[in-house]
Amino acid sequence: MTVRHLLRLLSLVAALGLWQLLTAFDVSVWLRFEQFPTVVDVAREFGERVGSEAYWQDLTDSLSRIVTGFVLAAVAGVAAGTAIARSRLAADLLGPVLEVLRPIPAIALVPVAILLFPSNEQGIVFITFTAAFFPVMVSTRHAVRALTPVWEEAVRTMGGGRWRVLGSVVLPGALPGILGGLSVGIGVSWICVISAEMISGEYGVGYRTWQDYTVVDYPGVLVGMVTIGALGWLTSTAVEVLGRRVTRWLPRTESRAEAPAPRRSPSWGRSLAGAADPGPLTSTKEA
Amino acid sequence: MTTPPETTTASTAPAPVLAPPRGTRLTLRDASIGRQGTPVLEGLALDIAPGEILTVVGPSGCGKSTLLRTLAGLLPPLAGEVDRDGIPITGPDAERALIFQDDALLPWRTLRANVELPLAIKGVGRRERRARAEGWLERVGLDGHGARLPHRVSGGQRQRVQLARALAGEPRAVLMDEPFGALDAQTRAGMQQLLAEVLRGTGATVVFVTHDVDEALFLGDRVALLGTGTGRVPHVLDVPRPRDRTAHDDPATVELRRTVLTSLGT
Ligand SMILES: Nc1ncnc2c1ncn2[C@@H]1O[C@H](COP(=O)(O)OP(=O)(O)OP(=O)(O)O)[C@@H](O)[C@H]1O
Ligand SMILES: [Mg+2]
């Protein structure tokens, strides 16, 4: 539409065109493009694979691995981060172990995963989990420590106990910070899912890509990479969109705020607090 | 001006048998209060009778907020005793609501959801607490604003929501830290009137911190002057009742105001 949109489109088209030219003419000046598949080859291969069941099988395998590992990591990371930030005992008990494990890149745990888990599937999920756990845990810890004290004090002077403070102040208040960890976590998780699949997977996009490489199916490799990129973008965007939804309340600078669209009354505040409030544990007798 | 700190109200209001007073008696005996081990006020003695309105004035930094936080139970006294109805205060609870000097609304909750919070903590059902919260918002002049977020309304409106939130919990004592600081004279007068009415209805004990001497004299049954002199025991002045806003040039009021202002060193 606008000139800028046109320019952006042009940039993509130019890149694809360059790729096509370099590969079609088998250019070999320092970089070697003789073996490299052309855009057309890749597109044709892609068209074929999308029609096959195996492609979607790989895709859902990889997705279910990252979703499982990531969700577990999000829950455990938020729980551990909150516990460490709020309780000295938890900080003393959990802190040292986690600090020792933290510098180890999750992908370096592949041998451990193979030793520990009876199936590859569980091993891959474990690695995904570890990858996302630390960013989530660390960001939660910081976010909880940085909470404005008066929020908690206000709830306590209303008679709110530990769990009420946790559900109504700590979690919603730390959420913007936690989301930073979740964003980083999903990215690292995806890297680790693909790497782990390449090393030890059976099925999955990473496995398939590596497999294609070993049988010299280069268009297949490129299709795998495109798929990996698309899924990575999808998962990150999902977290991003979710994050923006639940932090609508954050004050924004007036000058950059979007037009005053009719904002839906953010009932999330209540529903989130409600979800986090361990209803039966407190004395609330909700209708 | 040398009125002894307490005993002046000890003889008032024998407790009715059938309807016990809603207010809490708040007592400080030889209390040192402060933060992180550093005393701000020492040897403090105050007895606030159930249902009484004590206004507190004093220069900035003299420890007014510290006093309220101690009474709320957020700060333990460094020495001495701080009691409610004769029981030592060991922590915050729903009986003593605190209206904070700084903005203490939860920014992710709408104004109504903020006012609902103390009711939710008490276990009031969803529909009931929504209705009550709406009622309170209306009383502080914010009906129709319930769905807005705190950072989308003005500072004075936020303070009024804090007031609504504190009163919604039906506390037995309300501790207010300059709640009307950000309000214009007109709204301020309205809120003072409202407060006076509401408090008369609930019978809650009130400790009200303000910088405005006229406000202190209008609202208070007694006025405590903090941070004056070296003894650090507050001067407590009785404000004779009945009185009203228009009685500014009433000789007794003029005299009182003069006393307060001189002891504040202005
Ligand atoms: N969080 C804190 N940690 C340590 N010292 C504090 C803290 N807050 C306040 N103080 C100190 O305690 C003293 C009393 O503070 P306080 O907030 O009670 O004053 P105040 O009478 O409420 O003043 P103002 O009228 O400005 O609100 C001040 O000297 C202040 O510097
Ligand atoms: Mg103060």
Side-chain angles (χ1 to χ4, degrees), chain B residues 35 61 63-66 101 177-178 209 211:
Chain B
R35 325 217 184 199
K64 303 184 295 295
S65 300
T66 309
Q101 189 169 9
D177 206 340
E178 298 182 40
V209 168
H211 276 133

Side-chain angles (χ1 to χ4, degrees), chain B residues 33-36 38-41 58-69 75 101 177-178 209-211 226:
Chain B
I33 62 174
R35 325 217 184 199
Q36 290 148 19
T38 321
V40 173
L41 289 163
S60 178
C62 71
K64 303 184 295 295
S65 300
T66 309
L67 172 65
L68 290 194
R69 287 171 157 269
L75 278 176
Q101 189 169 9
D177 206 340
E178 298 182 40
V209 168
T210 176
H211 276 133
L226 276 194

